[in-house]
Amino acid sequence: MSNESLANLMTETRRFAPPAEVVAGANVTAAAYEAAAEDRLGYWAEQARRLSWEREPTETLDWSNPPFAKWFADGRLNVAYNCVDRHVEAGNGDRVAIHFEGEPGDSRAITYAELQREVSQAANALGELGVATGDRVAIYMPMIPEAVIAMLACARIGAPHSVVFGAFSADALATRIEDADARVVITADGGYRRGAPSALKPAVDEALTRPGAANVRNVLVVRRTGQDIPWTSGRDVWWHEAVGRQSTEHTPEAFDAEHPLFILYTSGTTGKPKGILHTTGGYLTQVAYTHHAVFDLKPETDVYWCTADIGWVTGHSYIVYGPLANGATEVLYEGTPNTPHNGRWWEIVEKYGVTLLYTAPTAIRTCMKWGDDIPARFDLSSLRILGSVGEPINPEAWIWYRKHIGGDRTPVVDTWWQTETGAMMISPLPGVTLAKPGSAQTPLPGISATVVDDDGNEVANGSGGYLTLTEPWPSMLRTIWGDDQRFLDTYWSRFEGRYFAGDGAKKDEDGDIWLLGRVDDVMLVSGHNISTTEVESALVSHPRIAEAAVVGATDPQTTQAICAFVILRGGAPQEEGLVEELRAHVSKELGPIAKPKRILAVEELPKTRSGKIMRRLLRDVAENRELGDVTTLTDPAVMDLIQTKLPSAPSED
Ligand code: 6R9
């Protein structure tokens, strides 16, 4: 028996020094850590100067009523002006802001000058529809330029947006419209996914039949696919008509730094989704700073691509606000990675000469499964920095990413953050950090994070526990929309005076931070708290395993037993003795305590649209329970597939 908060079972000894050319030209050097440690608030005040303020803030942080922070409170600025107009004024109107690549292969380059005109038109159209400063606008869109334009238009007039994933159901959309009391919905007839038009508008129509959505006056509809859609005259308005006829000029008004910028609902595994509220000045400061520091962005020469959906916080912070505030040129891709072929992403990297790529571990593991030969067919030599976000990246996937996508040359930055944190918090710096595959390593300059035990005491190096953030940061959530008490209870009550992220983590012998998954997923096996991440990493380091998800299932002998769901590389059939071999492999990597009791080969794992494995559903399967809410799954049918497999499950010895 041990009373550790979370076991530390895995060691990783590989190290990668930053390449000389990245070190030589790095935007941020080791000196930043010292400067920020000496004067944290001064450091953030300096970062705020990357933005153009109509009124410069004189106060950096007001923490007089914790945890309700005010950053740069007496400053005033306009987010859309910062992301668009100022680049045009600086003489960069002809620079491409967005290279749009549609799934069917259509493409469109939008310069900053064009973006300024279109955002202005959209802002004028929203005004004409009666959207006033402070009104909420719901956005339910495919990954097309109008989604970005719609968000910027809302920001321009100070109307907080609430973007809802295009794949969410009418129900999920209705709940979010109701909670934010949205007045207008911006959508499209549909978008292209997996080679076919997929409708969006009917879900909006259905959502608007719910009583909670009664305050929605108008639906602004982009024509993307041209498919037939139902139409409610008087309420529904075509984008190309209502926006197209507007003046291309619009004067942006400055708002207080603490004016609400957007609400974004977390995937919320249980209960009512939480509307995470972000505000203006602090948020924009930190997304711009981190995008500059962690991607080492050179706006004149880099081509940046983040593969996330704008319905996820990564899309908000690192497709829309961070890159555009920095005047970047970026790719926006509408479709799936395997349409029309498994090399589509790499074809896009080659086509646009992408230099900075930001994606999720789940996508990397999927590409590993498809085979090394696929990226090898494309010229990926333009790439210079690779980023990862969304889940812990297991060391094997990190190494594959660096080798097969980054030509064994590029730094890989594993960035830990959350919808709630608004921007990156823990990440290596590409020109500074000696990289360790699988670890997010160090809090960024100006960020304070540590790992604590059950009693809130900092753990020693080499031990595991709970990740906490110990000082306020500019892009922190300000509250849960309409529910301050839930904000306090969820994030600020577990550890006195600290933000509790809900993630397990450990500090290694050097003090570097390793993320170990959600604490709700931690397994209790014979008195040991074992993280799902370490067992999954060990499984995936076996050559036959492409992906793995483990859960703790109730067990009479050991409290919980480790049950693993694995996807075999190169597909079935499963050779005899494989299960035993895998159990022995995990035992060798992590110790006998972490050996899965059951291992089940499956075709797919249940994932959210942002690529996170929904272990809660796998726990339902492992404990033969009826499935919980599956509405946020990418593909609810995978659960049927997994369940039909269960009776023939290879079980323990
Ligand atoms: C940005 C985003 C947040 C949760 C977070 C953690 C997991 C994200 C990670 C990571 C390990 C990383 N997570 N990045 N875990 N290493 N680099 O993903 O926001 O959708 O709110 O999810 O995702 O568990 O708490 P969000």
Side-chain angles (χ1 to χ4, degrees):
M1 272 289 215
S2 109
N3 57 5
E4 90 249 308
S5 297
L6 192 57
N8 169 21
L9 304 173
M10 198 173 79
T11 35
E12 170 60 58
T13 53
R14 290 168 286 190
R15 300 287 180 271
F16 296 86
E21 62 281 11
V22 179
V23 176
N27 285 352
V28 177
T29 65
Y33 292 106
E34 286 160 39
E38 233 158 74
D39 178 9
R40 191 174 56 87
L41 294 182
Y43 190 77
W44 283 120
E46 193 184 313
Q47 302 319 316
R49 284 183 214 114
R50 325 181 147 272
L51 307 180
S52 302
W53 297 80
E54 188 222 46
R55 191 166 78 210
E56 295 265 343
T58 60
E59 187 182 23
T60 302
L61 170 66
D62 174 355
W63 193 234
S64 57
N65 181 28
F68 299 94
K70 290 190 181 131
W71 282 86
F72 312 117
D74 61 346
R76 287 173 70 81
L77 75 169
N78 184 286
V79 167
Y81 173 80
N82 272 278
C83 291
V84 184
D85 306 54
R86 65 168 175 157
H87 306 311
V88 179
E89 288 171 15
N92 296 319
D94 292 338
R95 182 184 297 165
V96 173
I98 297 173
H99 284 292
F100 170 66
E101 176 82 10
E103 198 190 69
D106 55 321
S107 64
R108 185 182 161 203
I110 303 170
T111 64
Y112 274 96
E114 286 164 338
L115 191 61
Q116 182 183 33
R117 291 196 284 273
E118 294 201 28
V119 171
S120 296
Q121 286 186 304
N124 286 326
L126 290 175
E128 197 178 273
L129 293 174
V131 179
T133 300
D135 285 353
R136 274 81 57 204
V137 175
I139 297 179
Y140 184 67
M141 299 270 262
M143 285 284 288
I144 56 176
E146 287 81 357
V148 179
I149 294 166
M151 290 166 74
L152 290 169
C154 288
R156 195 173 184 93
I157 62 170
H161 54 69
S162 160
V163 181
V164 180
F165 254 142
F168 278 2
S169 64
D171 260 335
L173 177 61
T175 332
R176 287 158 177 79
I177 289 173
E178 179 175 359
D179 187 74
D181 191 16
R183 299 309 158 94
V184 165
V185 180
I186 307 179
T187 188
D189 50 358
Y192 292 96
R193 268 198 102 69
R194 301 199 166 78
S198 138
L200 277 172
K201 175 70 168 41
V204 176
D205 292 323
E206 197 190 324
L208 295 189
T209 61
R210 310 293 154 85
N215 287 336
V216 172
R217 292 185 305 256
N218 292 107
V219 180
L220 188 54
V221 189
V222 175
R223 188 149 69 200
R224 166 63 181 146
T225 59
Q227 66 201 110
D228 274 342
I229 50 165
W231 199 257
T232 304
S233 58
R235 183 196 71 186
D236 299 350
V237 189
W238 282 113
W239 174 285
H240 57 267
E241 289 170 4
V243 175
R245 67 163 176 266
Q246 301 296 328
S247 157
T248 54
E249 276 170 36
H250 177 272
T251 310
E253 185 194 331
F255 300 105
D256 287 344
E258 284 297 339
H259 186 78
L261 179 61
F262 65 84
I263 303 166
L264 182 59
Y265 290 84
T266 53
S267 29
T269 45
T270 49
K272 197 172 137 212
K274 299 190 282 281
I276 303 302
L277 177 69
H278 283 289
T279 59
T280 299
Y283 172 82
L284 199 64
T285 297
Q286 194 174 330
V287 294
Y289 167 68
T290 51
H291 185 256
H292 160 87
V294 173
F295 281 106
D296 192 40
L297 176 81
K298 315 286 189 225
E300 302 78 24
T301 48
D302 274 321
V303 178
Y304 164 80
W305 181 22
C306 167
T307 67
D309 193 285
I310 50 140
W312 182 27
V313 72
T314 305
H316 284 56
S317 301
Y318 297 105
I319 293 177
V320 183
Y321 295 114
L324 296 177
N326 290 336
T329 294
E330 65 177 333
V331 172
L332 182 76
Y333 172 55
E334 178 183 31
T336 50
N338 52 348
T339 308
H341 56 81
N342 288 359
R344 184 67 189 274
W345 274 12
W346 317 122
E347 187 177 72
I348 293 173
V349 169
E350 179 178 290
K351 174 172 174 185
Y352 294 103
V354 171
T355 58
L356 313 172
L357 179 68
Y358 197 22
T359 193
T362 177
I364 299 165
R365 286 190 297 264
T366 302
C367 292
M368 285 172 77
K369 189 169 61 185
W370 290 339
D372 309 349
D373 55 315
I374 292 172
R377 277 179 224 144
F378 300 90
D379 178 3
L380 307 181
S381 61
S382 55
L383 288 167
R384 62 180 202 97
I385 293 166
L386 305 177
S388 171
V389 59
E391 281 211 298
I393 178 165
N394 51 292
E396 283 333 301
W398 193 104
I399 294 279
W400 187 90
Y401 193 26
R402 180 182 154 104
K403 182 164 172 211
H404 293 279
I405 306 304
D408 234 340
R409 163 189 92 243
T410 62
V412 172
V413 286
D414 173 18
T415 64
W416 178 87
W417 58 291
Q418 309 178 296
T419 305
E420 292 87 340
T421 70
M424 297 169 185
M425 302 292 283
I426 305 177
S427 168
L429 285 177
V432 179
T433 316
L434 179 66
K436 289 181 186 172
S439 172
Q441 299 191 262
T442 359
L444 287 166
I447 299 300
S448 310
T450 193
V451 182
V452 300
D453 64 18
D454 280 307
D455 304 321
N457 301 313
E458 201 166 327
V459 303
N461 286 355
S463 304
Y466 307 93
L467 182 70
T468 62
L469 303 171
T470 53
E471 297 287 353
W473 63 100
S475 63
M476 64 197 285
L477 77 165
R478 296 305 193 260
T479 190
I480 293 174
W481 182 255
D483 203 344
D484 287 348
Q485 192 56 48
R486 194 173 177 201
F487 169 61
L488 294 169
D489 294 345
T490 311
Y491 306 107
W492 301 93
S493 63
R494 177 73 178 80
F495 301 107
E496 174 78 40
R498 292 172 167 209
Y499 173 88
F500 174 46
D503 280 339
K506 70 179 186 189
K507 289 198 294 180
D508 68 15
E509 297 304 337
D510 305 321
D512 279 327
I513 296 176
W514 294 70
L515 276 304
L516 296 180
R518 302 294 295 167
V519 292
D520 300 341
D521 292 331
V522 167
M523 305 171 288
L524 179 61
V525 183
S526 304
H528 292 277
N529 286 309
I530 296 180
S531 88
T532 50
T533 303
E534 292 200 313
V535 182
E536 289 163 5
S537 288
L539 282 163
V540 180
S541 72
H542 186 280
R544 277 291 272 141
I545 303 300
E547 274 207 83
V550 307
V551 297
T554 307
D555 184 275
Q557 272 100 44
T558 56
T559 316
Q560 285 189 321
I562 300 178
C563 179
F565 296 80
V566 298
I567 301 180
L568 298 180
R569 211 194 272 239
Q574 175 180 330
E575 56 272 28
E576 221 180 295
L578 180 64
V579 166
E580 260 329 293
E581 189 182 319
L582 291 171
R583 298 180 70 222
H585 175 75
V586 174
S587 183
K588 183 175 116 261
E589 296 285 311
L590 304 178
I593 186 73
K595 194 158 71 166
K597 188 160 185 187
R598 297 171 77 186
I599 297 181
L600 189 62
V602 293
E603 306 286 314
E604 275 303 338
L605 292 169
K607 285 181 197 153
T608 66
R609 268 290 294 276
S610 65
K612 294 188 212 302
I613 297 170
M614 292 185 70
R615 291 181 189 74
R616 161 177 74 77
L617 295 178
L618 294 174
R619 225 159 22 231
D620 290 343
V621 172
E623 296 182 341
N624 301 312
R625 254 197 316 274
E626 204 177 307
L627 287 187
D629 181 16
V630 294
T631 52
T632 55
L633 277 183
T634 312
D635 175 11
V638 307
M639 290 315 296
D640 301 334
L641 263 174
I642 292 172
Q643 280 179 310
T644 54
K645 282 243 164 186
L646 202 62
S648 59
S651 81
E652 29 108 28
D653 43 348

